[in-house]
């Protein structure tokens, strides 16, 4: 950032200031989870079609994983499974200074993949009759969502992001609203309570009428954590650990609490923030109370595949609750095309060989993507340690294509579709992806939507960006 490099030429500072403004606008417009535009018949339970299960071509998977590193990602580590057959791979560096290599078994901050775990815990309590998905949230936590909104917003709306409640991240990291990243460093070791973060999101203007539209918001999943606390009398992170993580048999997945360190083998995690942090800075030590039940989990790609397989096979939820989890709302791009279908804490998207289910996640310096065939047999999970590596054009009006986006998409398709899949179309867009212009309220930093915890995985940026629905 320029405040760290006062000697840079004025013209370069001005260009970076313009870029900062555009980045802030893009964040304020909201970035949805990963999606590649694909047709949809509307809300559904897409379980009939399973991806092709061509054999795991380990040499090709290794080549395509290395291509992600060669395209500019510092390090990537992944696990692919087809039944009992497994590929574990890694490419690149865990530390750019020492050139320590990454390993497939690294622990990693998985961001909003956490939402799938939280949703399972909520649905487990629903199966026990303690939570009614269509009951107003104000019945459970009136102190956190008071008044008319508390009577209109249901638990289901929190789960599928149709509550219309705004995100808290901009107020939790206020410099982001001004297009700078000082807050990331200022709050590195801060401990913050869920109620404070929820208060930020609830205090912002409602994005839409409850139930009317899809708006991705991390506030929804902190509220769900507090609903779990109210109905069970237990800390929600401990509850999820007992009822979801341990029940799924996961060995390397945990909530870090206030501990900023990742324990066990892991990579350094570098954040570029579209060039505002130059060179990218290591944020692998971070107090993750700012993410909580919306995105604080640490896991491995092996554990994520185990979790989603157990979920989709029906080992974590009764069939009724699993069917509700896979009942989706359409998420459309700026042209009105369905880019993905969001359920209750998981989403469905299309691949060259059929629909898959899962979630993605992004925190400062760490990106994750985990997708599985509808039956949980064919699976792909990847972690990578350089985030927001894309750049804006000179005018600060568009995100430029990045070769890592195409490499990520090619690896995903190889992993999920195998050798039987048709060759993917060219991944790079024909033109730069537009960065949205700031609305007047965004320029003032007052009433605009704020950045969600999830960053779209690199492959998602090769498709039309998911627009904030109005």
């Amino acid at each position: 950032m320029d405040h760290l490099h006062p000697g840079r030429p004025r013209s370069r500072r001005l260009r970076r200031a313009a870029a900062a403004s555009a980045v802030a606008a893009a964040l304020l417009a909201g970035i949805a989870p990963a999606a590649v535009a694909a047709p949809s018949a509307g809300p559904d339970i897409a379980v009939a079609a399973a991806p092709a299960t061509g054999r795991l071509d380990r040499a090709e998977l290794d080549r395509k994983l290395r291509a992600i590193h060669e395209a500019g990602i510092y390090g990537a580590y992944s696990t692919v499974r087809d039944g009992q057959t497994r590929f574990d791979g890694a490419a690149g560096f865990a530390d750019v200074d020492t050139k320590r290599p990454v390993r497939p078994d690294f622990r990693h901050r998985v961001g909003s993949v956490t939402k799938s775990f939280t949703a399972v815990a909520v649905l487990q309590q629903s199966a026990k009759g303690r939570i009614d998905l269509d009951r107003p949230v104000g019945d459970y936590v009136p102190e956190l969502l008071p008044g008319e909104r508390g009577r209109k917003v249901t638990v289901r709306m929190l789960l599928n992001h149709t509550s219309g409640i705004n995100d808290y991240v901009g107020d939790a990291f206020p410099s982001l609203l001004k297009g700078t990243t000082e807050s990331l460093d200022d709050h590195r070791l801060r401990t913050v309570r869920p109620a404070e973060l929820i208060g930020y999101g609830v205090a912002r203007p409602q994005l839409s009428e409850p139930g009317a539209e899809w708006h991705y918001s991390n506030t929804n999943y902190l509220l769900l954590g507090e609903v779990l606390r109210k109905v069970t009398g237990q800390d929600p992170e401990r509850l999820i650990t007992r009822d979801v993580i341990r029940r799924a048999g996961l060995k390397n997945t945990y909530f870090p609490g206030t501990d900023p360190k990742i324990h066990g083998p892991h990579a350094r995690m570098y954040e570029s923030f579209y060039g505002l942090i130059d060179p990218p800075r290591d944020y692998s030590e971070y107090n993750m109370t700012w993410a909580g039940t919306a995105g604080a989990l640490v896991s491995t790609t092996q554990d994520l595949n185990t979790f989603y397989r157990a979920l989709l096979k029906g080992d974590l939820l009764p069939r009724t609750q699993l069917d509700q989890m896979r009942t989706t709302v359409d998420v459309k791009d700026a042209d009105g095309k369905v880019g993905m279908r969001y359920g209750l804490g998981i989403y469905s998207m299309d691949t060259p060989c059929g629909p898959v289910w899962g979630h993605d996640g992004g925190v400062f310096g760490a990106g994750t993507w985990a997708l599985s065939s509808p039956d949980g047999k064919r699976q792909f999970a990847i972690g990578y340690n350089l985030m927001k590596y894309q750049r804006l054009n000179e005018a600060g009006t568009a995100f430029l294509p990045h070769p890592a986006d195409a490499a990520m998409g090619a690896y995903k398709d190889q992993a999920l579709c195998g050798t039987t899949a048709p060759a993917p179309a060219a991944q790079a867009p024909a033109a730069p992806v537009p960065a949205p212009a700031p609305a007047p309220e965004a320029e003032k930093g007052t009433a605009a939507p704020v950045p969600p915890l999830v960053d779209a995985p690199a492959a998602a940026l090769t498709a039309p960006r998911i627009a904030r629905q109005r």
Side-chain angles (χ1 to χ4, degrees), residues 31-35 108-116 216 218 269 271 288 290 294-297 304 308 342 345 347 358-371 380-388 408 452-458 460:
I31 301 174
H108 185 75
R109 300 196 190 281
V110 301
S112 281
V113 176
T114 306
K115 290 179 172 64
S116 295
Y216 193 83
N218 294 289
M269 298 174 182
E271 178 64 47
M288 293 300 295
W290 71 272
L297 271 183
L304 292 182
Y308 281 110
Y342 203 97
Y347 60 72
H359 214 288
D360 62 287
V363 294
F364 308 131
T368 308
W369 212 358
L371 299 170
F380 142 89
I382 188 170
Y384 44 101
N385 68 340
L386 175 63
M387 285 299 288
K388 292 185 280 298
M408 193 85 68
L453 179 62
V454 166
D455 289 283

Side-chain angles (χ1 to χ4, degrees), residues 17 20-21 24 28 173-182 442-445:
S21 176
L28 292 169
F173 298 93
S175 75
L176 297 182
L177 297 174
K178 302 174 183 178
T180 67
T181 61
E182 289 93 340
E443 292 173 344
K444 297 175 185 176

